[in-house]
Amino acid sequence: GAGVSQSPSNKVTEKGKDVELRCDPISGHTALYWYRQSLGQGLEFLIYFQGNSAPDKSGLPSDRFSAERTGGSVSTLTIQRTQQEDSAVYLCASSSDRGNEQYFGPGTRLTVT
Amino acid sequence: AQSVSQHNHHVILSEAASLELGCNYSYGGTVNLFWYVQYPGQHLQLLLKYFSGDPLVKGIKGFEAEFIKSKFSFNLRKPSVQWSDTAEYFCAVNAHTGRRALTFGSGTRLQVQP
């Protein structure tokens, strides 16, 4: 079946602009996660959605970062007023309600110039 | 808070050599343990996992890992590596119950020379 998909695959933006990154989880997966992968920080957790529960936002690095998940499926990660340190690969993962294995998408490479 | 340490940052091996990548974690409760692999230009893929039971787990492509609770370790092994195993390997942990977000190690880049 189809895996986790993310769009765009690459995004170049100017410092100060807002960006939106999209994630389509595996159909039927109730849990959705955002991580980012950068040279200096490795793989870091950002935010986690589980069903209809309030999201776990404990990994968001600043209030410029937000995410929503509509209809329990697609999620959008928004970064406002982007900074150069936001440059990274943003990864989305999903897992089933009972499962503990997270399946990752290909990521969005964000470059802030 | 959870933390994961991978002590080998870059490993270079010849084909047919044996591999062992170290992973140690720090957490006060029961954990699930994972190894993910990222081949060049590809996304993260699950290599193997440990939730409970037999501490020796087998994954895809001939990889295995052993959970040693007393040492807080989950080392990855393969008896004979191939050139196609060239990739970056990440150890990860999450809580057995509750918060499922993964905490990753810094990764080990494995380079297998033909």
Side-chain angles (χ1 to χ4, degrees):
Chain A
V4 178
S5 61
Q6 294 186 244
S7 60
S9 54
N10 280 285
K11 177 73 177 178
V12 180
T13 190
E14 292 179 355
K15 178 182 171 181
K17 301 277 189 180
D18 298 351
V19 295
E20 285 189 351
L21 312 179
R22 177 188 167 105
C23 171
D24 280 276
I26 292 172
S27 178
H29 278 189
T30 57
L32 187 148
Y33 311 77
W34 283 97
Y35 298 85
R36 73 176 175 182
Q37 187 174 21
S38 57
L39 279 176
Q41 303 296 324
L43 273 155
E44 307 172 274
F45 162 72
L46 297 176
I47 187 169
Y48 158 45
F49 297 88
Q50 173 64 61
N52 296 320
S53 303
D56 175 353
K57 304 180 183 180
S58 60
L60 294 178
S62 78
D63 58 9
R64 295 186 295 103
F65 288 72
S66 63
E68 62 177 20
R69 189 177 184 193
T70 52
S73 181
V74 171
S75 176
T76 302
L77 177 69
T78 301
I79 309 173
Q80 296 178 308
R81 305 181 303 282
T82 51
Q83 304 293 311
Q84 287 187 329
E85 61 263 28
D86 299 335
S87 295
V89 177
Y90 288 82
L91 298 172
C92 177
S94 69
S95 68
S96 65
D97 189 39
R98 292 178 60 92
N100 221 319
E101 302 155 31
Q102 295 180 27
Y103 296 86
F104 283 81
T108 294
R109 181 175 297 278
L110 175 66
T111 304
V112 182
T113 61
Chain B
Q2 301 164 353
S3 67
V4 179
S5 297
Q6 292 182 244
H7 310 296
N8 317 103
H9 298 295
H10 190 191
V11 173
I12 302 173
L13 295 173
S14 298
E15 277 193 313
S18 64
L19 170 72
E20 180 158 3
L21 301 182
C23 173
N24 288 88
Y25 69 93
S26 172
Y27 182 64
T30 306
V31 296
N32 303 309
L33 295 152
F34 307 84
W35 276 96
Y36 281 87
V37 61
Q38 190 168 31
Y39 297 103
Q42 295 188 27
H43 59 275
L44 277 168
Q45 301 173 39
L46 182 66
L47 202 53
L48 49 77
K49 61 188 184 287
Y50 173 80
F51 296 159
S52 64
D54 188 343
L56 183 63
V57 292
K58 295 189 184 300
I60 61 172
K61 305 188 180 188
F63 286 91
E64 65 178 32
E66 184 175 14
F67 171 51
I68 303 179
K69 189 174 181 180
S70 61
K71 294 185 178 180
F72 297 91
S73 71
F74 190 56
N75 292 355
L76 181 70
R77 299 195 292 248
K78 186 171 183 179
S80 176
V81 295
Q82 300 173 312
W83 177 79
S84 57
D85 294 325
T86 295
E88 189 149 18
Y89 293 81
F90 295 91
C91 182
V93 61
N94 68 2
H96 196 64
T97 57
R99 190 170 183 266
R100 291 187 171 183
L102 290 168
T103 299
F104 284 90
S106 55
T108 297
R109 185 190 300 179
L110 172 65
Q111 186 178 343
V112 180
Q113 296 177 331

